[in-house]
mmCIF file of all heavy atoms in Angstrom:
data_model
loop_
_atom_site.group_PDB
_atom_site.id
_atom_site.type_symbol
_atom_site.label_atom_id
_atom_site.label_comp_id
_atom_site.label_asym_id
_atom_site.label_seq_id
_atom_site.Cartn_x
_atom_site.Cartn_y
_atom_site.Cartn_z
ATOM 1 N N ASN A 572 7.668 3.903 -12.333
ATOM 2 C CA ASN A 572 7.480 5.008 -11.395
ATOM 3 C C ASN A 572 8.278 4.702 -10.123
ATOM 4 O O ASN A 572 7.911 3.824 -9.351
ATOM 5 C CB ASN A 572 5.993 5.179 -11.076
ATOM 6 C CG ASN A 572 5.701 6.433 -10.300
ATOM 7 O OD1 ASN A 572 6.448 6.804 -9.410
ATOM 8 N ND2 ASN A 572 4.589 7.079 -10.623
ATOM 9 N N SER A 573 9.351 5.430 -9.927
ATOM 10 C CA SER A 573 10.237 5.148 -8.793
ATOM 11 C C SER A 573 9.591 5.448 -7.443
ATOM 12 O O SER A 573 10.083 4.998 -6.411
ATOM 13 C CB SER A 573 11.536 5.941 -8.930
ATOM 14 O OG SER A 573 11.270 7.335 -8.919
ATOM 15 N N LYS A 574 8.485 6.176 -7.431
ATOM 16 C CA LYS A 574 7.787 6.466 -6.176
ATOM 17 C C LYS A 574 6.958 5.278 -5.690
ATOM 18 O O LYS A 574 6.616 5.198 -4.521
ATOM 19 C CB LYS A 574 6.851 7.664 -6.345
ATOM 20 C CG LYS A 574 7.554 8.970 -6.598
ATOM 21 C CD LYS A 574 6.525 10.075 -6.771
ATOM 22 C CE LYS A 574 7.162 11.391 -7.114
ATOM 23 N NZ LYS A 574 6.156 12.449 -7.301
ATOM 24 N N LEU A 575 6.605 4.377 -6.598
ATOM 25 C CA LEU A 575 5.714 3.266 -6.274
ATOM 26 C C LEU A 575 6.490 1.957 -6.215
ATOM 27 O O LEU A 575 7.139 1.560 -7.169
ATOM 28 C CB LEU A 575 4.588 3.190 -7.308
ATOM 29 C CG LEU A 575 3.778 4.490 -7.449
ATOM 30 C CD1 LEU A 575 2.749 4.359 -8.551
ATOM 31 C CD2 LEU A 575 3.123 4.862 -6.136
ATOM 32 N N ILE A 576 6.417 1.296 -5.064
ATOM 33 C CA ILE A 576 7.166 0.073 -4.820
ATOM 34 C C ILE A 576 6.177 -1.087 -4.735
ATOM 35 O O ILE A 576 5.491 -1.272 -3.730
ATOM 36 C CB ILE A 576 7.976 0.186 -3.514
ATOM 37 C CG1 ILE A 576 8.874 1.437 -3.545
ATOM 38 C CG2 ILE A 576 8.792 -1.089 -3.281
ATOM 39 C CD1 ILE A 576 9.412 1.834 -2.191
ATOM 40 N N SER A 577 6.092 -1.841 -5.816
ATOM 41 C CA SER A 577 5.176 -2.977 -5.858
ATOM 42 C C SER A 577 5.681 -4.096 -4.952
ATOM 43 O O SER A 577 6.893 -4.285 -4.795
ATOM 44 C CB SER A 577 5.031 -3.500 -7.286
ATOM 45 O OG SER A 577 4.414 -2.532 -8.095
ATOM 46 N N PRO A 578 4.758 -4.847 -4.370
ATOM 47 C CA PRO A 578 5.177 -5.949 -3.491
ATOM 48 C C PRO A 578 5.795 -7.092 -4.280
ATOM 49 O O PRO A 578 5.394 -7.363 -5.410
ATOM 50 C CB PRO A 578 3.860 -6.381 -2.832
ATOM 51 C CG PRO A 578 2.797 -5.913 -3.759
ATOM 52 C CD PRO A 578 3.316 -4.698 -4.464
ATOM 53 N N PRO A 579 6.776 -7.760 -3.686
ATOM 54 C CA PRO A 579 7.376 -8.927 -4.351
ATOM 55 C C PRO A 579 6.510 -10.164 -4.132
ATOM 56 O O PRO A 579 6.368 -10.625 -3.011
ATOM 57 C CB PRO A 579 8.723 -9.071 -3.643
ATOM 58 C CG PRO A 579 8.485 -8.499 -2.282
ATOM 59 C CD PRO A 579 7.446 -7.418 -2.448
ATOM 60 N N PHE A 580 5.913 -10.662 -5.191
ATOM 61 C CA PHE A 580 5.009 -11.804 -5.060
ATOM 62 C C PHE A 580 5.665 -13.119 -5.411
ATOM 63 O O PHE A 580 5.292 -14.153 -4.896
ATOM 64 C CB PHE A 580 3.769 -11.620 -5.934
ATOM 65 C CG PHE A 580 2.869 -10.553 -5.429
ATOM 66 C CD1 PHE A 580 2.818 -9.329 -6.041
ATOM 67 C CD2 PHE A 580 2.094 -10.763 -4.302
ATOM 68 C CE1 PHE A 580 2.000 -8.332 -5.550
ATOM 69 C CE2 PHE A 580 1.270 -9.778 -3.804
ATOM 70 C CZ PHE A 580 1.223 -8.558 -4.437
ATOM 71 N N ASN A 581 6.613 -13.075 -6.304
ATOM 72 C CA ASN A 581 7.240 -14.309 -6.755
ATOM 73 C C ASN A 581 8.747 -14.210 -6.581
ATOM 74 O O ASN A 581 9.342 -13.164 -6.818
ATOM 75 C CB ASN A 581 6.920 -14.576 -8.226
ATOM 76 C CG ASN A 581 5.444 -14.762 -8.462
ATOM 77 O OD1 ASN A 581 4.745 -15.340 -7.645
ATOM 78 N ND2 ASN A 581 4.958 -14.258 -9.578
ATOM 79 N N SER A 582 9.329 -15.321 -6.183
ATOM 80 C CA SER A 582 10.780 -15.442 -6.110
ATOM 81 C C SER A 582 11.116 -16.905 -6.347
ATOM 82 O O SER A 582 10.231 -17.728 -6.565
ATOM 83 C CB SER A 582 11.282 -14.964 -4.743
ATOM 84 O OG SER A 582 10.976 -15.925 -3.752
ATOM 85 N N GLU A 583 12.396 -17.216 -6.257
ATOM 86 C CA GLU A 583 12.800 -18.615 -6.408
ATOM 87 C C GLU A 583 12.257 -19.475 -5.274
ATOM 88 O O GLU A 583 12.080 -20.678 -5.431
ATOM 89 C CB GLU A 583 14.321 -18.713 -6.451
ATOM 90 C CG GLU A 583 14.924 -18.112 -7.697
ATOM 91 C CD GLU A 583 16.436 -18.237 -7.711
ATOM 92 O OE1 GLU A 583 16.988 -19.058 -6.958
ATOM 93 O OE2 GLU A 583 17.064 -17.505 -8.493
ATOM 94 N N LEU A 584 11.968 -18.833 -4.141
ATOM 95 C CA LEU A 584 11.543 -19.588 -2.961
ATOM 96 C C LEU A 584 10.044 -19.593 -2.722
ATOM 97 O O LEU A 584 9.554 -20.386 -1.917
ATOM 98 C CB LEU A 584 12.243 -19.025 -1.714
ATOM 99 C CG LEU A 584 13.761 -19.058 -1.737
ATOM 100 C CD1 LEU A 584 14.335 -18.350 -0.512
ATOM 101 C CD2 LEU A 584 14.267 -20.501 -1.814
ATOM 102 N N LYS A 585 9.303 -18.678 -3.385
ATOM 103 C CA LYS A 585 7.875 -18.600 -3.074
ATOM 104 C C LYS A 585 7.085 -18.025 -4.232
ATOM 105 O O LYS A 585 7.620 -17.365 -5.111
ATOM 106 C CB LYS A 585 7.639 -17.721 -1.847
ATOM 107 C CG LYS A 585 7.920 -16.251 -2.107
ATOM 108 C CD LYS A 585 7.519 -15.384 -0.939
ATOM 109 C CE LYS A 585 7.871 -13.949 -1.188
ATOM 110 N NZ LYS A 585 6.927 -13.165 -1.889
ATOM 111 N N ILE A 586 5.801 -18.305 -4.201
ATOM 112 C CA ILE A 586 4.821 -17.679 -5.091
ATOM 113 C C ILE A 586 3.727 -17.161 -4.182
ATOM 114 O O ILE A 586 3.171 -17.902 -3.377
ATOM 115 C CB ILE A 586 4.243 -18.679 -6.112
ATOM 116 C CG1 ILE A 586 5.350 -19.190 -7.036
ATOM 117 C CG2 ILE A 586 3.125 -18.027 -6.916
ATOM 118 C CD1 ILE A 586 4.896 -20.271 -7.990
ATOM 119 N N GLY A 587 3.429 -15.873 -4.293
ATOM 120 C CA GLY A 587 2.421 -15.265 -3.437
ATOM 121 C C GLY A 587 1.020 -15.762 -3.756
ATOM 122 O O GLY A 587 0.762 -16.336 -4.819
ATOM 123 N N SER A 588 0.128 -15.512 -2.835
ATOM 124 C CA SER A 588 -1.263 -15.942 -3.022
ATOM 125 C C SER A 588 -2.095 -14.882 -3.739
ATOM 126 O O SER A 588 -3.231 -15.149 -4.109
ATOM 127 C CB SER A 588 -1.907 -16.261 -1.674
ATOM 128 O OG SER A 588 -1.980 -15.084 -0.886
ATOM 129 N N PHE A 589 -1.554 -13.679 -3.930
ATOM 130 C CA PHE A 589 -2.227 -12.597 -4.649
ATOM 131 C C PHE A 589 -3.555 -12.208 -3.999
ATOM 132 O O PHE A 589 -4.497 -11.837 -4.670
ATOM 133 C CB PHE A 589 -2.436 -12.966 -6.126
ATOM 134 C CG PHE A 589 -1.155 -13.283 -6.841
ATOM 135 C CD1 PHE A 589 -0.726 -14.584 -6.990
ATOM 136 C CD2 PHE A 589 -0.371 -12.266 -7.349
ATOM 137 C CE1 PHE A 589 0.468 -14.879 -7.642
ATOM 138 C CE2 PHE A 589 0.827 -12.548 -8.006
ATOM 139 C CZ PHE A 589 1.242 -13.858 -8.158
ATOM 140 N N HIS A 590 -3.620 -12.278 -2.688
ATOM 141 C CA HIS A 590 -4.860 -11.934 -1.989
ATOM 142 C C HIS A 590 -4.901 -10.478 -1.549
ATOM 143 O O HIS A 590 -5.965 -9.967 -1.207
ATOM 144 C CB HIS A 590 -5.061 -12.851 -0.778
ATOM 145 C CG HIS A 590 -4.143 -12.555 0.362
ATOM 146 N ND1 HIS A 590 -2.791 -12.820 0.320
ATOM 147 C CD2 HIS A 590 -4.391 -11.994 1.564
ATOM 148 C CE1 HIS A 590 -2.238 -12.433 1.455
ATOM 149 N NE2 HIS A 590 -3.187 -11.933 2.241
ATOM 150 N N VAL A 591 -3.746 -9.802 -1.563
ATOM 151 C CA VAL A 591 -3.690 -8.398 -1.162
ATOM 152 C C VAL A 591 -2.534 -7.747 -1.934
ATOM 153 O O VAL A 591 -1.537 -8.410 -2.237
ATOM 154 C CB VAL A 591 -3.509 -8.258 0.374
ATOM 155 C CG1 VAL A 591 -2.188 -8.816 0.840
ATOM 156 C CG2 VAL A 591 -3.670 -6.828 0.820
ATOM 157 N N TYR A 592 -2.709 -6.472 -2.283
ATOM 158 C CA TYR A 592 -1.670 -5.748 -3.019
ATOM 159 C C TYR A 592 -1.178 -4.595 -2.141
ATOM 160 O O TYR A 592 -1.651 -3.463 -2.245
ATOM 161 C CB TYR A 592 -2.206 -5.210 -4.342
ATOM 162 C CG TYR A 592 -1.110 -4.806 -5.304
ATOM 163 C CD1 TYR A 592 -0.690 -5.674 -6.300
ATOM 164 C CD2 TYR A 592 -0.497 -3.557 -5.220
ATOM 165 C CE1 TYR A 592 0.304 -5.318 -7.181
ATOM 166 C CE2 TYR A 592 0.497 -3.189 -6.098
ATOM 167 C CZ TYR A 592 0.897 -4.076 -7.075
ATOM 168 O OH TYR A 592 1.901 -3.719 -7.951
ATOM 169 N N PRO A 593 -0.222 -4.874 -1.238
ATOM 170 C CA PRO A 593 0.290 -3.829 -0.351
ATOM 171 C C PRO A 593 1.374 -2.995 -1.035
ATOM 172 O O PRO A 593 2.546 -3.341 -1.044
ATOM 173 C CB PRO A 593 0.852 -4.629 0.831
ATOM 174 C CG PRO A 593 1.269 -5.927 0.228
ATOM 175 C CD PRO A 593 0.327 -6.179 -0.925
#
Side-chain angles (χ1 to χ4, degrees):
N572 189 320
S573 62
K574 294 179 184 179
L575 304 176
I576 305 164
S577 295
F580 290 104
N581 298 323
S582 74
E583 292 180 18
L584 301 174
K585 69 173 177 86
I586 297 175
S588 64
F589 302 96
H590 73 289
V591 64
Y592 196 97

